[in-house]
Amino acid sequence: MTPSTPSGCDRQALLTVSAWPACQNQAVNLAATLNADLHCHSTISDGTLTPEALAARAHAAGVQLWSLTDHDEIGGQQRAIDAALALGLPYLTGTEISVTFAGRVVHIVGLGFDHTAPELIEGLRATRGGREARAREMAASLAAAGIPGAFEGALKYVGNPDLISRTHFARFLVDGGHCSDVPEVFRRFLTEGKPGFVAHKWASLKDAVGWITRAGGAAVIAHPGRYDFTPTEEYALITEFVAHGGRGIEVVTGSHTPAEFTEYADIAREFDLLASRGSDFHCPEESRVDLGTLPPLPDSLTPVWAALADRIHRPTTVGG
Ligand code: AMP
Ligand code: MN
Ligand code: MN
Ligand code: MN
């Protein structure tokens, strides 16, 4: 059977398309109203649940298409694929790449790529390579502000020694009684001008989009409402992203307000971008939005999963 991709208006599409990689097909609902959750984090980056526990939580919450998008890391992808398929849950490979654009940090989600692609693996390895040195500088900055031992403290929360992040420092600062919760940490520490902040050069936009695209996936701008860009800067980000081959934008994310769902739906239509949806779930105690609980995409958008139909890992049998 020839793979087919429904248009944005084909909202009730229930298609059986040739599976990738080759396996017995199971029909996957590709409608825009699908409960897809294509953004979350495991212990392989800065989440607190394993890929297997996330798969179970997504499945229990009624997620119909899932992706694990660890920061700068795809070491959890095979575990996520195996866990999802064992539950009968369709799966798209995922990652969230840290990018420096116009001197600021932008996150680019990759979906539906070949997770064995050497160029993507090497690009992500290089991107996360500077994290340990950065973490030691962050700890030195916190020590100068009267908080010693932060490197060793943060390491206690790290699941993957290659991926020490600000989130792990935040958990150390909360559990050590320096702040009452993670949002307070990011108000008082770890952000520009505050103790513990260390500027860092991440991947370029061109490289991040290229690695994902050449591995067969779609690049998506993560939580665009979270960047402090002027309209001109945002326009520059989107046009450069598209020029490099970027295809989608997160519209419904745990980082957006309902007003931003509408705002970025309009931007997706204006720039002819595919729309994505994901909770950005990290931790049951910390995350405001749980897996699978966001509203559906607004009307008349083309969901990113419709364009990635042939990249979905499909269960061979209908799961319970
Ligand atoms: P890093 O990649 O080490 O710079 O860490 C970035 C991570 O810190 C993000 O992916 C979030 O998980 C977390 N983070 C950043 N800003 C905030 C914030 N204001 N509130 C809560 N978590 C945040
Ligand atoms: Mn994170
Ligand atoms: Mn992000
Ligand atoms: Mn994220």
Side-chain angles (χ1 to χ4, degrees):
M1 185 173 178
T2 310
S4 56
T5 301
S7 74
C9 301
D10 199 356
R11 300 174 62 78
Q12 299 309 316
L14 184 69
L15 301 182
T16 303
V17 297
S18 65
W20 177 89
C23 65
Q24 293 295 307
N25 289 344
Q26 181 191 313
V28 175
N29 180 357
L30 296 170
T33 50
L34 192 71
N35 190 351
D37 196 320
L38 305 181
H39 190 148
C40 68
H41 300 273
S42 76
T43 47
I44 306 296
S45 65
D46 60 348
T48 59
L49 302 184
T50 61
E52 292 79 10
L54 285 168
R57 194 177 183 94
H59 183 251
V63 171
Q64 296 165 292
L65 175 64
W66 177 52
S67 181
L68 170 65
T69 55
D70 279 313
H71 296 285
D72 307 326
E73 178 58 282
I74 52 176
Q77 291 304 303
Q78 193 59 52
R79 286 172 62 182
I81 293 167
D82 293 346
L85 297 190
L87 291 162
L89 173 60
Y91 185 80
L92 277 170
T93 52
T95 187
E96 182 178 19
I97 306 182
S98 311
V99 159
T100 302
F101 177 81
R104 312 263 267 286
V105 182
V106 167
H107 286 172
I108 300 296
V109 161
L111 297 171
F113 47 78
D114 170 5
H115 65 292
T116 68
E119 186 196 27
L120 175 62
I121 291 171
E122 174 53 28
L124 294 178
R125 195 197 58 72
T127 302
R128 62 181 183 263
R131 280 185 178 268
E132 184 179 332
R134 170 198 189 226
R136 290 189 188 279
E137 281 187 60
M138 289 166 62
S141 168
L142 288 170
I147 302 174
F151 181 79
E152 295 72 19
L155 262 190
K156 295 206 176 88
Y157 299 85
V158 166
N160 170 3
D162 272 3
L163 214 118
I164 180 162
S165 89
R166 284 187 292 164
T167 314
H168 302 113
F169 279 86
R171 292 182 185 137
F172 161 74
L173 290 170
V174 171
D175 292 349
H178 301 284
C179 294
S180 58
D181 57 19
V182 170
E184 186 190 335
V185 173
F186 284 93
R187 282 196 299 275
R188 292 179 47 206
F189 300 98
L190 311 184
T191 50
E192 199 150 0
K194 310 279 169 63
F197 179 75
V198 173
H200 194 73
K201 190 154 188 307
W202 301 104
S204 71
L205 182 64
K206 181 181 183 196
D207 282 348
V209 173
W211 298 332
I212 294 162
T213 306
R214 288 189 291 275
V220 173
I221 299 175
H223 42 64
R226 232 169 73 181
Y227 312 123
D228 234 359
F229 285 143
T230 64
T232 307
E233 289 168 332
E234 185 173 77
Y235 181 85
L237 169 66
I238 297 172
T239 51
E240 286 193 35
F241 170 76
V242 169
H244 294 314
R247 297 180 62 197
I249 193 163
E250 285 186 345
V251 171
V252 174
T253 129
S255 298
H256 283 176
T257 62
E260 287 170 330
F261 298 162
T262 306
E263 180 184 345
Y264 288 98
D266 289 343
I267 284 182
R269 288 186 204 99
E270 181 184 344
F271 289 88
D272 205 16
L273 290 167
L274 301 165
S276 194
R277 175 180 188 267
S279 57
D280 207 353
F281 179 79
H282 283 70
C283 169
E285 291 78 32
E286 291 168 14
S287 294
R288 199 172 46 83
V289 175
D290 210 327
L291 286 158
T293 60
L294 286 167
L297 288 177
D299 280 344
S300 72
L301 296 171
T302 306
V304 68
W305 49 89
L308 292 171
D310 62 344
R311 312 297 298 177
I312 297 173
H313 291 258
R314 293 151 193 272
T316 53
T317 54
V318 177

